Every structure is written in structure tokens, then in C-alpha cells.
Amino acid sequence: MKKINYWLVKSEPSDYSFSDLLKEPEQTAEWDGVRNYQARNILQNEMKINDQVLYYHSNSKPSQIVGTAIVVKEGYPDFTSWDPKSKHFDPKSTPQNPKWFMVDIKADKIFKTPITLQEVKNNKKLSNMVLVKNSRLSVQPVTEIEWSIILDMSK
DNA sequence: GCCAACGTTGGC
DNA sequence: GCCAACGTTGGC
């Protein structure tokens, strides 16, 4: 049996929210625009099909985890990086030598109760979450234990 | 809107 | 390869 990994991705809801993802055909979207090496490495090498993803709304009132998604396509070049019209354009990235990568995710469950950042911080068992420790990383690993605690809280 | 914390760039 | 300057993220 294949091992499932758990992740958390952030998006500003004013930019692209969980309900935007739900409106997509097949509720699936390219997770493009990530321009941070640590996050890129996860997208390119570590996220696998069927991995589970927490969907977090950052810069929000309140900032919170609002649902889950599933990886449906593994790391491939982020073509917005060589599109001069894209706001994520990077002249150092080309189709021949792509610098940035993305995956496709499909919305899975919307939380009955969103989990606010405050609640995550208030839970001692979640004090090692990357979300708490390194608030700037936009694609980050979540442990199986953290995953199950958060899913329990969301019921 | 402020600003702390962090990541990236580039001069030396 | 160091590190100052700069840019960005994201909580508050």
C-alpha cells in the first residue's frame, strides 16, 4: 500500500479562495505561482497523487483552515513562470529549463467548522505545526497526527 | 496599514 | 562566501 502524505497550502481568499476552487470544472486547479524554493521543492518532488492537503486562507479575517483537497497531478513545470504577462513571470525560467513547478489539486471536503489560526495556536498538540513555527511558508508538510487532530476539530 | 520575520539579491 | 539592503508575507 502506498503511503499518503499530508500537506497544507495557503492562499489569500481575495486572490483565490476555497470556494473559487469549488467552482472550477472538476473542482480542480493548477497550484501555480509559488515562487519560494522550499515550497517549490515540495511541489516538484514530494507531493504525490492522492496526498491530502489542508486548505488555509491567509491574510484573512480570521485566517483559518477551511477545507481539504487531494493531489491529482504531480509536480510539473509552472508555465506561468515564462509568461511575460503573468504576474508570477520569472525571466530565468524557460520551457527548456523550468525553474518553478506546480501540482494540480482537487477540492475534497469543506469544513463544517473552519479551524482558525488562533485555535491551532491554542492547541498544545499542534504547537509544532509549520503553520505556527514558520508562518511564511506557503506549501508545508503536516504530520499524520496533526492531520487527524485538525479533522476531528472540524467536525 | 503597520511592521516583524524571513527570503533573496548582489556588491565586495 | 559574507552580509547589508531590499522585497515579501502575513498576523495583528
Side-chain angles (χ1 to χ4, degrees):
Chain A
M1 201 167 89
K2 213 175 82 173
K3 193 177 177 304
I4 300 279
N5 296 304
Y6 301 93
W7 309 99
L8 178 148
V9 299
K10 293 181 189 174
S11 182
E12 300 197 20
S14 58
D15 189 37
Y16 190 86
S17 71
F18 193 64
S19 52
D20 290 329
L21 180 60
L22 289 169
K23 281 180 215 142
E24 300 282 357
E26 305 288 317
Q27 293 80 53
T28 298
E30 296 152 347
W31 204 250
D32 65 357
V34 172
R35 297 291 179 268
N36 166 285
Y37 289 108
Q38 223 181 323
R40 189 278 309 268
N41 292 342
I42 292 173
L43 292 173
Q44 183 179 1
N45 304 315
E46 296 188 50
M47 277 188 162
K48 299 297 175 192
I49 294 226
N50 292 329
D51 279 0
Q52 306 234 59
V53 179
L54 296 172
Y55 199 107
Y56 178 79
H57 281 170
S58 63
N59 247 313
S60 189
K61 289 178 183 172
S63 294
Q64 55 189 357
I65 305 166
V66 294
T68 67
I70 294 175
V71 176
V72 292
K73 184 173 178 181
E74 293 179 10
Y76 62 107
D78 178 349
F79 50 76
T80 67
S81 66
W82 54 75
D83 176 2
K85 290 194 287 293
S86 168
K87 67 174 174 176
H88 303 295
F89 175 61
D90 180 352
K92 295 196 188 95
S93 184
T94 64
Q96 292 73 33
N97 190 13
K99 185 174 164 191
W100 302 110
F101 287 75
M102 60 187 175
V103 300
D104 287 0
I105 63 170
K106 179 183 170 90
D108 187 20
K109 297 194 187 70
I110 182 162
F111 281 177
K112 210 169 279 175
T113 317
I115 311 302
T116 65
L117 179 62
Q118 195 55 56
E119 290 174 275
V120 172
K121 286 180 168 172
N122 287 346
N123 189 327
K124 283 208 177 80
K125 290 179 191 156
L126 298 177
S127 60
N128 283 322
M129 276 193 82
V130 181
L131 186 66
V132 177
K133 295 199 136 181
N134 177 3
S135 66
R136 294 172 42 112
L137 189 60
S138 67
V139 177
Q140 54 181 256
V142 171
T143 68
E144 192 171 356
I145 294 167
E146 290 161 353
W147 175 273
S148 57
I149 293 171
I150 286 166
L151 260 78
D152 276 348
M153 290 165 75
S154 73
K155 282 174 184 161

